[in-house]
Amino acid sequence: MKRAKFDEAWQVALTDCVKQIETTTDAELVLIVRARSGSYRHADYLFGALLAFAGLLFLLFSPFDFHQYWVPIDVALLFAGGAFISSRSNVVRRLLTSEKFRSEAVRRGAAAMFYEAGIANTNAELGLLIYLSILERRLELIADRGVLKGVNALEWNQVVFELHEAGRKPEPQSLHDGLQKLGCLLAKHLPATGENPNELCDAPHFELK
């Protein structure tokens, strides 16, 4: 079965979900969905080099005759072609990078966004970031102190676990379901009082290219 994509319809659905959650809680939720959390150019170059090396071995040991002038041209074209293929393939990039590298890239991206988006600067310390990075198949959730103090720890850990699991197979439906569960938890422990001003933009941010 073909995996659902974060198309325009799902972006609208997720935006509506976040806005609905914001009406039921004083917490300030920010959702960010990114195609990747790094350039992965080194993986592209590595795949290009491997393809070029394989091509060179073929040219050197092939029973067919090749003019020597074509060797460097063919090798260069294979390198460029391999780098281009890798740049368009999440599968290749995952195969050529370690899980530790991918995890750290997502953590850095989420931590940077937590401060850049002003989530760490809300007056009541009720900022909450949901950061999904598709290539790495990883979701990071960063909550400010007010959220962690106000929510039951056991219930919080359960919802966070489910969101992390949704990040392992990044599909819009699983993310949507996880957000709804999170919204119910926030509404239960941090209900809307009308006293906390909306300091952050409610619209999720999508970087899918």
Side-chain angles (χ1 to χ4, degrees), residues 72-116:
I73 297 175
D74 289 341
V75 170
L77 289 175
L78 286 170
F79 175 82
F84 178 80
I85 292 171
S86 177
S87 70
R88 297 296 186 272
S89 173
N90 286 349
V91 174
V92 173
R93 285 176 160 180
R94 281 195 293 268
L95 287 173
L96 295 179
T97 53
S98 67
E99 183 177 352
K100 179 181 178 182
F101 174 86
R102 296 192 300 272
S103 298
E104 289 179 350
V106 176
R107 279 195 292 268
R108 286 195 301 268
M113 194 59 65
F114 186 73
Y115 290 96
E116 290 176 8

Side-chain angles (χ1 to χ4, degrees), residues 4-209:
K5 296 182 179 180
F6 288 87
D7 56 17
E8 185 175 349
W10 269 114
Q11 290 181 34
V12 172
L14 290 168
T15 299
D16 291 341
C17 181
V18 171
K19 289 182 178 180
Q20 178 60 33
I21 292 173
E22 291 268 2
T23 65
T24 64
T25 177
D26 276 348
E28 303 254 11
L29 191 149
V30 175
L31 170 64
I32 296 176
V33 180
R34 303 184 71 180
R36 69 196 68 83
S37 294
S39 68
Y40 287 85
R41 194 168 297 171
H42 66 290
D44 301 338
Y45 292 160
L46 176 58
F47 186 70
L50 291 173
L51 195 61
F53 182 68
L56 178 60
L57 291 178
F58 175 79
L59 292 173
L60 291 176
F61 298 104
S62 171
F64 305 104
D65 292 328
F66 296 94
H67 198 287
Q68 61 181 357
Y69 293 138
W70 285 104
V71 173
I73 297 175
D74 289 341
V75 170
L77 289 175
L78 286 170
F79 175 82
F84 178 80
I85 292 171
S86 177
S87 70
R88 297 296 186 272
S89 173
N90 286 349
V91 174
V92 173
R93 285 176 160 180
R94 281 195 293 268
L95 287 173
L96 295 179
T97 53
S98 67
E99 183 177 352
K100 179 181 178 182
F101 174 86
R102 296 192 300 272
S103 298
E104 289 179 350
V106 176
R107 279 195 292 268
R108 286 195 301 268
M113 194 59 65
F114 186 73
Y115 290 96
E116 290 176 8
I119 304 169
N121 299 322
T122 58
N123 291 329
E125 298 183 326
L126 293 177
L128 176 62
L129 171 67
I130 307 293
Y131 180 97
L132 175 64
S133 197
I134 295 174
L135 183 151
E136 295 86 356
R137 294 178 177 175
R138 188 175 180 89
L139 184 146
E140 288 287 335
L141 191 152
I142 304 178
D144 211 342
R145 285 174 291 185
V147 176
L148 298 177
K149 289 179 181 178
V151 177
N152 177 272
L154 185 62
E155 294 177 86
W156 172 259
N157 289 335
Q158 179 61 37
V159 170
V160 170
F161 174 79
E162 292 179 7
L163 280 168
H164 283 162
E165 287 300 304
R168 295 180 185 277
K169 294 182 179 180
E171 296 183 354
Q173 183 65 63
S174 59
L175 177 60
H176 187 273
D177 294 344
L179 287 173
Q180 288 185 320
K181 291 181 180 179
L182 176 63
C184 291
L185 181 63
L186 294 173
K188 177 182 177 181
H189 294 283
L190 296 170
T193 62
E195 300 174 358
N196 184 41
N198 188 11
E199 301 173 67
L200 303 174
C201 178
D202 294 340
H205 185 60
F206 297 91
E207 297 179 12
L208 302 176
K209 294 183 179 181

